Amino acid sequence: MIWTAWANQHHLDALHEAELIEQAEIADVAGLEVLPGARALLAALPPDRYTIVTSGGRRLANTRLHAVGLPIPPTIITAGDITRGKPDPQPYLAGALALGVDPRTCLVFEDAPSGILATTVEHQASPYEGPPAAVIGSG
């Protein structure tokens, strides 16, 4: 919201500028690392039993997963799939819906404070606040 107001004041196209930022993030895959345990966890789960919820775009998520050699699940919830981002619970509720499961039965692995807050709403997915074994989203 602040960025959009600033961009409008300075006669910038906020959507174009956001696209440029996303393109730069997509091009920058050097140094990406898989968190400890993530590869083993995802290998142990059937692809239809987990999803990734990210504040980024779909191209960015796919590029980063591919760059580190992690599988791309059949469903990924990205910024383009929701109207309210983390810490609002909507992204995780959309993830549970995409999997066809009750969000109260989900276990969430999260790496950012805003994502952890998104999981702590009543009737929301159970939060996991220990060391993350898989990055499901970045706050």
Side-chain angles (χ1 to χ4, degrees):
M1 189 77 123
I2 293 171
W3 165 249
T4 303
W6 185 90
N8 288 339
Q9 182 180 11
H10 290 85
H11 307 290
L12 296 175
D13 179 345
L15 293 177
H16 175 71
E17 298 300 321
E19 176 64 25
L20 291 176
I21 292 169
E22 183 180 52
Q23 287 175 8
E25 289 179 328
I26 288 170
D28 183 18
V29 295
L32 292 178
E33 295 181 19
V34 178
L35 292 174
R39 193 174 312 280
L41 173 67
L42 296 181
L45 295 172
D48 65 342
R49 299 303 295 167
Y50 76 94
T51 189
I52 293 175
V53 175
T54 179
S55 297
R58 188 167 311 280
R59 288 184 303 152
L60 179 59
N62 286 343
T63 298
R64 289 188 172 174
L65 289 167
H66 180 71
V68 296
L70 288 178
I72 297 173
T75 62
I76 298 177
I77 303 301
T78 68
D81 299 317
I82 55 162
T83 57
R84 295 181 313 276
K86 302 170 194 173
D88 189 278
Q90 185 186 31
Y92 286 116
L93 293 171
L97 180 65
L99 294 174
V101 298
D102 183 330
R104 294 171 293 184
T105 66
C106 294
L107 178 63
V108 174
F109 294 89
E110 178 58 64
D111 71 332
S114 64
I116 292 170
L117 286 173
T119 69
T120 58
V121 175
E122 185 179 352
H123 303 299
Q124 174 56 24
S126 303
Y128 174 81
E129 296 187 35
V135 175
I136 295 177
S138 294

